[in-house]
Amino acid sequence: MSMRNENAEQVLQANHDVVIVGAGFAGMYMLHRLRSLGLKVRVFERGTDVGGTWYWNRYPGARCDVESMQYSYSFSEELQQEWKWTERYAAQPEILAYARHVADRFNLRPDIQFETSVVSMSFDEECNRWTVTLDSGQDITAGFVVMATGSLSNARTPDLIGLSSFEGKTYHTGQWPHDGVDFSGLRVGVIGTGSSAIQAIPIIAGEARHLTVFQRTPNFSIPAHNHSLSDEKAKDWKVNYSELRRRAREESRNGLVFDFPTKSALEDTEADRSKHYEARWAIGGTIFTASYNDLAINKASNDTAAEFVRSKIREIVKDPDVAKLLQPTTYPIGTKRICVDTNYYETFNRDNVTLVDIRNAPIERITPRGLITGGKEYEFDAIVFATGFDAMTGSFAKVDIRGREGMTLKQKWAEGPKTYLGLMVAGFPNLFFVTGPGSPSVLSNMVVSIEQHVDWIADCLVQLSQRGVESIEATERSESDWVAHVNEVASKTLYPEANSWYMGANVPGKPRVFMPYIGGVNMYRLKCREVANRGYEGFELRTIAGTSQSRRAVKKG
Ligand code: N01
């Protein structure tokens, strides 16, 4: 190949119809959909393989708390019929194997560039294209960019004094070593008691010589009652998949199939309520928070569920002082993400486990031998940070994104994320967000929400192509109306009462705004459909004739 041809080839490779950032569940399906439309698409992924959350979060006990038959793609009938889940709740290795299977089955890998981070992006208003800069320094241009970077993908280690002085090993649950960690015979400290910690703690306690758990805020956790999935049960789902998936998408608020209750907790007598909660506890899982129809909006109803779980903690944990520390009292149940566990509270009955309450005595500093809190030094061989994520906006904040007139997304979101439908941002044309802030995302079965966004974006690109539209952008008006609506709906619930990552409260200095849309995936889907049917109401569509970089035609819809 001559030099000239090599240059031409490089230019060709650097120009795409669509760039997708991230090869998790969202990025993989987005690639599949857009490629089937005949578009030239490139995915950039910082990991060495597909899987997103399930690629990074390999901590002991990592498991999905949405049932496997529902936490899976529905876009391919063959895929959903052929894949065999082995447990009610799949463990991380099985979900990662599923993601890899999808990548192979749909031959996605050739269009994914692994071990590549997008560091910056800027929109060229002259030609309506994005220039995407990679960590290698290479520039790629694309008519459209889809951020499929996940809602919980920017792991956060608190900025503790002395962190680098620690002589043992440190780990973060969200960046776990691929070869696993052997805690046998070690003194281990776990910081945090969120979903990740609650899954990891029972397993680490079984291995370590001694485990010390540092708890700032206790969490409500419901037993998973995980078990292997019988062939009959799986068959039941598979035979009825089309109807069940429809119900999850169109009838449920959270993208899960179950019979949503029609009764308030206050309509039952105390004895009936107790029986009902016992039955829900015996079923297990996140749907405990939907035991009645008003637990998220009525404090008196919520109190009954919270008290039931507190009574369970008192029943399970033998030491009354430890049981007291483990009982959440400062926020309504469900307003911090409900946790699902296997033997979490039971673990505190072990002789080799100590709970340290740091609510009033934050960790002062990390020392070479361990950490200091409440004036006492705790010594460890390993410290596990189960301290969560810069949720919902963290993965966007890591990329320097510049829209019209050089405005950065960081500036735009200085007081909290602003989007129209969680899909687009005014001032940032042709940039889509999959499950962005302002959409149901983390309040739902993520796969359902991902598929809905991917399908909407793909359909939108088909429409734009057919109408000769070069750029689409949320208007300031539609964006501010949507943000107001998202806040209004949230304010009618108990959610804002908790210092949760939904509110950005876990990151010092982050604006306190309720980020996901709580109106329900069913209502939200209708709204998105209506917007599209009305010719993308609330978006500005621009047709620019005669530009040199016209978007490639979509070959088929
Ligand atoms: O993170 P978290 P996570 N000093 O933010 C504490 C999903 N997920 O990784 O509550 C001391 O919930 C912090 O304390 P506080 C799920 O959506 C799903 O556990 O802020 N402590 C908290 O206890 C979940 O909600 C699954 O007071 C500090 C903990 O660290 C989300 O991911 C499994 C601290 C962080 O909890 C995040 O879960 C796992 C500090 N400086 C995760 N900073 C399943 O599907 C933070 N903490 C089952």
Side-chain angles (χ1 to χ4, degrees):
M1 193 184 274
S2 73
M3 192 62 181
R4 268 184 72 187
N5 279 345
E6 266 175 34
N7 284 343
E9 178 68 11
Q10 277 166 6
V11 169
L12 194 68
Q13 282 180 4
N15 290 299
H16 297 272
D17 295 319
V18 184
V19 156
I20 298 169
V21 189
F25 275 47
M28 288 198 295
Y29 180 41
M30 192 80 248
L31 169 62
H32 176 66
R33 269 303 309 264
L34 296 183
R35 223 174 43 180
S36 70
L37 296 174
L39 293 170
K40 188 180 169 203
V41 186
R42 192 79 179 147
V43 182
F44 297 104
E45 163 58 52
R46 73 189 154 106
T48 59
D49 203 352
V50 297
T53 286
W54 305 104
Y55 171 90
W56 297 102
N57 288 266
R58 300 171 189 236
Y59 59 85
R63 189 179 288 286
C64 188
D65 59 12
V66 173
E67 295 190 8
S68 327
M69 296 308 292
Q70 305 203 51
Y71 192 85
S72 50
Y73 288 120
S74 70
F75 70 82
S76 159
E77 179 60 13
E78 295 78 19
L79 172 67
Q80 67 180 7
Q81 291 298 332
E82 79 198 4
W83 183 262
K84 191 171 180 318
W85 294 104
T86 64
E87 292 181 276
R88 176 186 185 186
Y89 296 107
Q92 173 272 332
E94 190 171 15
I95 307 176
L96 185 57
Y98 172 73
R100 287 181 175 143
H101 169 75
V102 171
D104 293 336
R105 194 187 192 291
F106 297 98
N107 192 29
L108 301 179
R109 292 177 201 277
D111 293 312
I112 305 173
Q113 188 168 319
F114 293 104
E115 296 182 81
T116 304
S117 294
V118 168
V119 292
S120 63
M121 288 163 30
S122 63
F123 187 69
D124 183 337
E125 296 179 49
E126 299 254 307
C127 59
N128 285 315
R129 289 181 75 80
W130 283 92
T131 299
V132 175
T133 305
L134 309 177
D135 52 358
S136 62
Q138 191 188 355
D139 283 343
I140 307 288
T141 76
F144 297 89
V145 175
V146 179
M147 297 298 282
T149 39
S151 308
L152 294 158
S153 46
N154 191 1
R156 211 192 126 261
T157 300
D159 196 11
L160 293 167
I161 299 165
L163 188 54
S164 60
S165 72
F166 183 57
E167 287 167 359
K169 292 267 173 58
T170 59
Y171 305 98
H172 191 290
T173 48
Q175 292 168 333
W176 205 258
H178 288 199
D179 299 335
V181 180
D182 182 4
F183 289 110
S184 309
L186 303 185
R187 298 161 306 165
V188 183
V190 171
I191 302 174
T193 50
S195 297
S196 304
I198 279 176
Q199 291 185 324
I201 282 167
I203 314 278
I204 298 175
E207 278 181 18
R209 169 147 53 107
H210 195 91
L211 171 65
T212 309
V213 177
F214 295 92
Q215 172 188 274
R216 187 163 68 181
T217 314
N219 256 304
F220 290 100
S221 188
I222 311 298
H225 299 309
N226 188 34
H227 50 71
S228 58
L229 193 64
S230 69
D231 288 347
E232 298 77 61
K233 182 96 183 161
K235 194 168 159 217
D236 238 27
W237 270 92
K238 288 184 178 181
V239 168
N240 298 301
Y241 246 149
S242 68
E243 171 58 10
L244 294 170
R245 299 286 203 188
R246 188 199 62 75
R247 280 177 57 195
R249 284 186 206 114
E250 294 175 14
E251 289 180 6
S252 84
R253 294 174 60 80
N254 55 11
L256 293 170
V257 179
F258 72 100
D259 295 322
F260 195 76
T262 51
K263 215 190 219 184
S264 158
L266 304 181
E267 285 177 56
D268 264 347
T269 63
E270 200 177 331
D272 285 346
R273 235 179 1 238
S274 188
K275 230 159 86 188
H276 186 58
Y277 285 137
E278 282 290 355
R280 289 293 185 139
W281 183 266
I283 295 168
T286 56
I287 61 162
F288 181 87
T289 51
S291 296
Y292 289 101
N293 71 1
D294 60 347
L295 298 184
I297 51 173
N298 182 331
K299 181 68 168 55
S301 292
N302 188 290
D303 285 344
T304 66
E307 186 45 34
F308 175 83
V309 176
R310 285 192 287 263
S311 75
K312 284 290 176 192
I313 300 171
R314 289 193 292 270
E315 203 176 292
I316 297 168
V317 181
K318 291 187 186 134
D319 181 329
D321 293 334
V322 177
K324 192 165 179 208
L325 287 180
L326 287 167
Q327 293 169 57
T329 53
T330 57
Y331 59 94
I333 185 169
T335 56
K336 272 167 98 79
R337 171 66 153 70
I338 194 82
C339 302
V340 174
D341 72 279
T342 300
N343 296 330
Y344 175 63
Y345 295 121
E346 290 82 347
T347 299
F348 292 92
N349 292 331
R350 295 178 64 108
D351 291 339
N352 71 332
V353 176
T354 308
L355 179 67
V356 178
D357 176 24
I358 54 170
R359 188 180 319 183
N360 299 316
I363 294 166
E364 285 163 36
R365 64 193 152 92
I366 304 286
T367 67
R369 287 186 304 237
L371 62 83
I372 296 179
T373 167
K376 180 176 171 193
E377 182 170 23
Y378 295 81
E379 295 187 8
F380 299 114
D381 303 302
I383 298 177
V384 174
F385 288 92
T387 45
F389 302 87
D390 183 356
M392 305 214 67
T393 57
S395 56
F396 309 131
K398 281 209 296 205
V399 184
D400 182 13
I401 302 176
R402 289 170 191 263
R404 283 194 194 288
E405 294 166 19
M407 177 173 50
T408 66
L409 191 65
K410 213 169 163 184
Q411 288 165 340
K412 167 98 193 199
W413 286 3
E415 286 160 17
K418 296 185 177 78
T419 69
Y420 179 36
L421 299 170
L423 277 162
M424 295 198 93
V425 177
F428 297 79
N430 294 4
L431 174 64
F432 294 99
F433 298 82
V434 181
T435 63
S439 72
S441 60
V442 291
L443 295 175
S444 69
N445 175 356
M446 284 302 279
V447 190
V448 169
S449 288
I450 283 169
E451 287 193 327
Q452 186 247 334
H453 266 188
V454 167
D455 289 338
W456 193 94
I457 293 167
D459 292 346
C460 174
L461 293 185
V462 172
Q463 290 297 317
L464 299 188
S465 174
Q466 286 173 355
R467 296 179 199 186
V469 171
E470 289 271 332
S471 86
I472 178 168
E473 179 181 352
T475 64
E476 293 281 353
R477 175 70 193 270
S478 58
E479 182 180 270
S480 59
D481 287 353
W482 183 251
V483 171
H485 175 62
V486 169
N487 286 319
E488 194 203 341
V489 180
S491 72
K492 290 184 177 146
T493 73
L494 302 172
Y495 277 82
E497 291 188 22
N499 287 326
S500 66
W501 58 255
Y502 296 134
M503 298 284 296
N506 64 325
V507 178
K510 191 166 173 172
R512 299 277 175 111
V513 186
F514 191 76
M515 294 183 282
Y517 177 56
I518 205 170
V521 297
N522 48 352
M523 302 310 290
Y524 175 78
R525 174 179 294 269
L526 284 178
K527 171 73 184 167
C528 290
R529 193 176 294 159
E530 190 182 285
V531 163
N533 288 344
R534 292 188 180 163
Y536 295 92
E537 186 179 55
F539 291 97
E540 192 174 340
L541 310 184
R542 292 184 194 185
T543 314
I544 300 185
T547 52
S548 54
Q549 304 261 10
S550 65
R551 207 161 40 76
R552 286 160 63 99
V554 173
K555 289 180 190 137
K556 52 182 174 167

Coordinates of all heavy atoms in Angstrom, one line a residue, residues 145-198:
V145 N -22.5 10.6 18.6 CA -21.8 9.9 19.6 C -22.8 9.3 20.6 O -23.8 10.0 20.9 CB -20.8 10.7 20.4 CG1 -20.2 10.0 21.6 CG2 -19.7 11.2 19.5
V146 N -22.7 8.1 21.0 CA -23.6 7.5 22.0 C -22.7 7.2 23.3 O -21.8 6.4 23.2 CB -24.3 6.2 21.5 CG1 -25.2 5.7 22.6 CG2 -25.1 6.5 20.2
M147 N -23.1 7.8 24.4 CA -22.4 7.5 25.6 C -23.1 6.3 26.3 O -24.2 6.4 26.8 CB -22.4 8.7 26.6 CG -21.7 9.9 26.1 SD -19.9 9.7 25.8 CE -19.3 9.8 27.5
A148 N -22.5 5.2 26.2 CA -23.0 3.9 26.8 C -22.1 3.5 28.0 O -21.6 2.4 28.1 CB -23.1 2.8 25.7
T149 N -21.8 4.5 28.8 CA -20.8 4.4 29.8 C -21.2 3.9 31.1 O -20.5 3.7 32.1 CB -20.1 5.8 30.0 OG1 -21.1 6.8 29.9 CG2 -19.1 6.1 28.9
G150 N -22.6 3.6 31.3 CA -23.0 3.0 32.5 C -23.3 4.1 33.6 O -22.8 5.2 33.6
S151 N -24.2 3.7 34.5 CA -24.5 4.7 35.6 C -23.7 4.5 36.8 O -23.6 5.4 37.6 CB -26.0 4.4 36.0 OG -26.8 4.4 34.9
L152 N -23.1 3.3 37.0 CA -22.3 3.1 38.2 C -20.9 2.5 37.7 O -20.6 1.3 37.9 CB -23.0 2.1 39.1 CG -24.3 2.6 39.7 CD1 -25.2 1.5 40.1 CD2 -24.0 3.5 40.9
S153 N -20.1 3.3 37.0 CA -18.9 2.8 36.5 C -17.7 3.6 36.9 O -16.6 3.3 36.5 CB -19.0 2.7 35.0 OG -19.6 3.9 34.5
N154 N -17.9 4.7 37.6 CA -16.7 5.5 38.1 C -16.5 5.2 39.5 O -17.0 5.9 40.4 CB -17.0 6.9 37.8 CG -15.8 7.8 38.0 OD1 -14.7 7.3 38.3 ND2 -15.9 9.1 37.8
A155 N -15.7 4.2 39.8 CA -15.5 3.7 41.2 C -14.9 4.9 42.0 O -14.0 5.6 41.5 CB -14.6 2.5 41.2
R156 N -15.3 5.0 43.2 CA -14.8 6.1 44.1 C -14.2 5.6 45.4 O -14.8 5.0 46.2 CB -16.1 6.9 44.4 CG -15.9 8.4 44.6 CD -17.1 9.0 45.2 NE -16.6 9.8 46.4 CZ -16.7 9.3 47.7 NH1 -17.3 8.2 47.9 NH2 -16.2 10.0 48.6
T157 N -12.9 6.0 45.5 CA -12.2 5.7 46.7 C -12.1 7.0 47.5 O -11.6 8.0 46.9 CB -10.8 5.2 46.4 OG1 -10.9 4.0 45.7 CG2 -10.0 4.9 47.7
P158 N -12.5 7.1 48.7 CA -12.5 8.4 49.4 C -11.0 8.9 49.5 O -10.1 8.1 49.6 CB -13.1 8.1 50.8 CG -13.4 6.7 50.8 CD -13.1 6.0 49.5
D159 N -10.9 10.2 49.5 CA -9.6 10.8 49.6 C -9.1 10.9 51.0 O -9.1 11.9 51.6 CB -9.9 12.2 49.0 CG -8.6 12.9 48.6 OD1 -7.6 12.2 48.6 OD2 -8.6 14.1 48.4
L160 N -8.7 9.7 51.5 CA -8.3 9.7 52.9 C -6.8 10.0 53.1 O -6.0 9.6 52.3 CB -8.6 8.3 53.5 CG -10.1 7.9 53.6 CD1 -10.2 6.4 53.8 CD2 -10.8 8.7 54.7
I161 N -6.6 10.7 54.2 CA -5.2 11.1 54.5 C -4.4 9.8 54.7 O -4.8 8.9 55.4 CB -5.1 12.0 55.7 CG1 -5.9 13.3 55.5 CG2 -3.7 12.3 56.1 CD1 -6.2 14.1 56.8
G162 N -3.2 9.8 54.1 CA -2.3 8.6 54.3 C -2.5 7.4 53.5 O -1.9 6.4 53.7
L163 N -3.5 7.5 52.6 CA -3.9 6.3 51.8 C -2.7 5.6 51.2 O -2.6 4.4 51.2 CB -4.9 6.7 50.7 CG -5.6 5.6 49.9 CD1 -6.3 4.6 50.9 CD2 -6.6 6.2 49.0
S164 N -1.8 6.4 50.6 CA -0.6 5.7 49.9 C 0.4 5.2 50.9 O 1.3 4.4 50.5 CB 0.0 6.7 49.0 OG 0.5 7.8 49.7
S165 N 0.2 5.5 52.2 CA 1.2 5.0 53.1 C 1.0 3.5 53.6 O 1.8 2.9 54.2 CB 1.3 5.9 54.4 OG 0.1 5.7 55.1
F166 N -0.2 3.0 53.3 CA -0.6 1.7 53.8 C 0.3 0.6 53.2 O 0.5 0.6 52.0 CB -2.1 1.4 53.4 CG -2.6 0.1 53.9 CD1 -2.6 -0.2 55.3 CD2 -3.1 -0.8 53.1 CE1 -3.0 -1.4 55.8 CE2 -3.6 -2.1 53.5 CZ -3.5 -2.3 54.9
E167 N 0.8 -0.2 54.1 CA 1.8 -1.2 53.6 C 1.2 -2.5 53.1 O 1.8 -3.4 52.5 CB 2.8 -1.5 54.7 CG 3.8 -0.3 54.8 CD 4.7 -0.3 56.1 OE1 4.5 -1.3 56.9 OE2 5.5 0.6 56.3
G168 N -0.1 -2.7 53.5 CA -0.8 -3.9 53.0 C -1.4 -3.6 51.6 O -1.0 -2.7 50.9
K169 N -2.4 -4.5 51.3 CA -3.0 -4.4 49.9 C -4.3 -3.6 50.1 O -5.1 -3.8 51.1 CB -3.3 -5.8 49.4 CG -2.1 -6.6 49.0 CD -1.8 -6.3 47.6 CE -0.5 -6.9 47.0 NZ -0.2 -8.2 47.1
T170 N -4.7 -2.8 49.1 CA -6.0 -2.2 49.1 C -6.7 -2.6 47.8 O -6.1 -2.8 46.7 CB -5.9 -0.6 49.1 OG1 -5.2 -0.2 47.9 CG2 -5.3 -0.1 50.3
Y171 N -8.0 -2.7 47.9 CA -8.9 -3.1 46.8 C -10.1 -2.2 46.8 O -10.6 -1.8 47.8 CB -9.3 -4.6 46.9 CG -8.2 -5.6 47.1 CD1 -7.8 -6.0 48.4 CD2 -7.5 -6.0 46.0 CE1 -6.8 -6.9 48.6 CE2 -6.4 -6.9 46.2 CZ -6.1 -7.3 47.4 OH -5.0 -8.2 47.6
H172 N -10.7 -2.0 45.6 CA -12.0 -1.4 45.5 C -12.9 -2.5 44.8 O -12.6 -3.1 43.8 CB -12.0 -0.2 44.6 CG -13.3 0.6 44.7 ND1 -14.4 0.2 44.1 CD2 -13.5 1.8 45.3 CE1 -15.4 1.1 44.4 NE2 -14.9 2.1 45.1
T173 N -14.1 -2.6 45.4 CA -15.1 -3.7 44.9 C -15.3 -3.5 43.4 O -15.5 -4.4 42.6 CB -16.4 -3.6 45.6 OG1 -16.9 -2.3 45.7 CG2 -16.2 -4.2 47.0
G174 N -15.3 -2.2 42.9 CA -15.7 -1.9 41.5 C -14.5 -2.0 40.6 O -14.6 -1.7 39.4
Q175 N -13.3 -2.4 41.1 CA -12.1 -2.6 40.3 C -11.4 -3.8 40.7 O -10.2 -3.7 41.1 CB -11.2 -1.3 40.4 CG -11.8 -0.1 39.8 CD -11.1 1.2 40.1 OE1 -10.4 1.2 41.1 NE2 -11.2 2.2 39.3
W176 N -12.1 -4.9 40.9 CA -11.5 -6.0 41.5 C -10.5 -6.8 40.6 O -10.7 -6.9 39.4 CB -12.6 -7.0 41.9 CG -12.3 -7.9 43.0 CD1 -11.9 -9.2 43.0 CD2 -12.2 -7.5 44.4 NE1 -11.7 -9.7 44.2 CE2 -11.8 -8.7 45.1 CE3 -12.5 -6.3 45.1 CZ2 -11.7 -8.7 46.5 CZ3 -12.3 -6.3 46.5 CH2 -12.0 -7.5 47.2
P177 N -9.4 -7.3 41.2 CA -8.4 -8.0 40.4 C -9.0 -9.2 39.6 O -9.8 -9.9 40.2 CB -7.3 -8.5 41.4 CG -7.6 -7.7 42.6 CD -9.0 -7.2 42.6
H178 N -8.6 -9.4 38.4 CA -9.2 -10.5 37.6 C -8.9 -11.9 38.1 O -9.6 -12.8 37.9 CB -8.8 -10.4 36.1 CG -9.4 -9.2 35.5 ND1 -9.5 -9.1 34.1 CD2 -10.0 -8.1 35.9 CE1 -10.1 -8.0 33.8 NE2 -10.4 -7.4 34.9
D179 N -7.8 -12.0 38.8 CA -7.4 -13.3 39.3 C -8.0 -13.6 40.7 O -7.6 -14.6 41.3 CB -5.8 -13.4 39.4 CG -5.2 -13.3 38.1 OD1 -5.9 -13.5 37.1 OD2 -4.0 -12.8 38.0
G180 N -8.8 -12.7 41.2 CA -9.4 -12.9 42.5 C -8.4 -12.6 43.6 O -7.2 -12.3 43.4
V181 N -8.9 -12.6 44.9 CA -8.0 -12.3 46.0 C -8.2 -13.4 47.1 O -9.3 -13.8 47.3 CB -8.4 -10.9 46.6 CG1 -7.5 -10.6 47.8 CG2 -8.3 -9.8 45.6
D182 N -7.1 -13.9 47.6 CA -7.2 -14.9 48.6 C -7.0 -14.2 50.0 O -5.9 -13.8 50.3 CB -6.2 -16.0 48.4 CG -6.3 -17.1 49.4 OD1 -7.2 -17.1 50.3 OD2 -5.4 -18.0 49.4
F183 N -8.1 -14.2 50.8 CA -8.0 -13.5 52.1 C -7.7 -14.5 53.2 O -7.7 -14.1 54.4 CB -9.3 -12.8 52.4 CG -9.6 -11.6 51.5 CD1 -10.6 -11.6 50.6 CD2 -8.8 -10.4 51.7 CE1 -10.8 -10.5 49.8 CE2 -9.0 -9.3 50.9 CZ -10.0 -9.3 49.9
S184 N -7.4 -15.7 52.9 CA -7.2 -16.7 53.9 C -6.1 -16.3 54.9 O -5.0 -15.9 54.5 CB -6.7 -18.1 53.3 OG -7.5 -18.4 52.3
G185 N -6.4 -16.3 56.2 CA -5.5 -16.0 57.3 C -5.2 -14.6 57.4 O -4.3 -14.2 58.2
L186 N -5.8 -13.7 56.7 CA -5.5 -12.3 56.8 C -6.5 -11.5 57.7 O -7.6 -11.9 57.9 CB -5.6 -11.6 55.4 CG -4.6 -12.3 54.3 CD1 -4.7 -11.4 53.0 CD2 -3.2 -12.3 54.8
R187 N -6.0 -10.4 58.1 CA -6.8 -9.4 58.9 C -7.3 -8.4 57.8 O -6.5 -7.7 57.2 CB -6.0 -8.7 59.9 CG -5.4 -9.6 61.0 CD -4.3 -8.9 61.7 NE -3.3 -8.5 60.8 CZ -2.3 -7.6 61.1 NH1 -2.2 -7.1 62.3 NH2 -1.4 -7.2 60.2
V188 N -8.6 -8.3 57.6 CA -9.2 -7.5 56.6 C -10.1 -6.5 57.1 O -10.9 -6.7 58.0 CB -10.0 -8.4 55.6 CG1 -10.5 -7.6 54.4 CG2 -9.1 -9.6 55.1
G189 N -10.0 -5.3 56.6 CA -11.0 -4.2 56.9 C -11.8 -3.9 55.7 O -11.3 -3.8 54.6
V190 N -13.1 -3.8 55.8 CA -14.0 -3.4 54.7 C -14.6 -2.1 55.1 O -15.2 -1.9 56.2 CB -15.2 -4.5 54.5 CG1 -16.2 -3.9 53.5 CG2 -14.6 -5.8 53.9
I191 N -14.5 -1.1 54.2 CA -15.1 0.2 54.5 C -16.3 0.3 53.6 O -16.2 0.2 52.4 CB -14.1 1.3 54.1 CG1 -12.8 1.2 55.0 CG2 -14.7 2.7 54.4 CD1 -11.7 2.2 54.6
G192 N -17.5 0.6 54.2 CA -18.7 0.7 53.5 C -19.6 -0.5 53.7 O -19.2 -1.6 54.0
T193 N -20.9 -0.2 53.7 CA -22.0 -1.2 53.9 C -23.1 -1.1 52.9 O -24.3 -1.2 53.2 CB -22.5 -1.2 55.3 OG1 -22.9 0.2 55.6 CG2 -21.5 -1.7 56.3
G194 N -22.7 -0.8 51.6 CA -23.8 -0.7 50.6 C -23.9 -2.1 49.9 O -23.4 -3.1 50.5
S195 N -24.6 -2.2 48.8 CA -24.9 -3.4 48.1 C -23.7 -4.3 47.9 O -23.7 -5.5 48.1 CB -25.5 -3.2 46.8 OG -26.7 -2.6 46.9
S196 N -22.6 -3.7 47.4 CA -21.3 -4.4 47.2 C -20.8 -5.1 48.4 O -20.5 -6.2 48.5 CB -20.3 -3.5 46.5 OG -20.8 -2.9 45.4
A197 N -20.7 -4.2 49.5 CA -20.1 -4.7 50.8 C -21.0 -5.8 51.3 O -20.5 -6.9 51.8 CB -20.1 -3.6 51.8
I198 N -22.3 -5.6 51.2 CA -23.3 -6.6 51.8 C -23.1 -8.0 51.1 O -23.3 -9.0 51.7 CB -24.7 -6.0 51.8 CG1 -24.8 -5.0 53.0 CG2 -25.8 -7.0 51.8 CD1 -26.1 -4.2 53.1

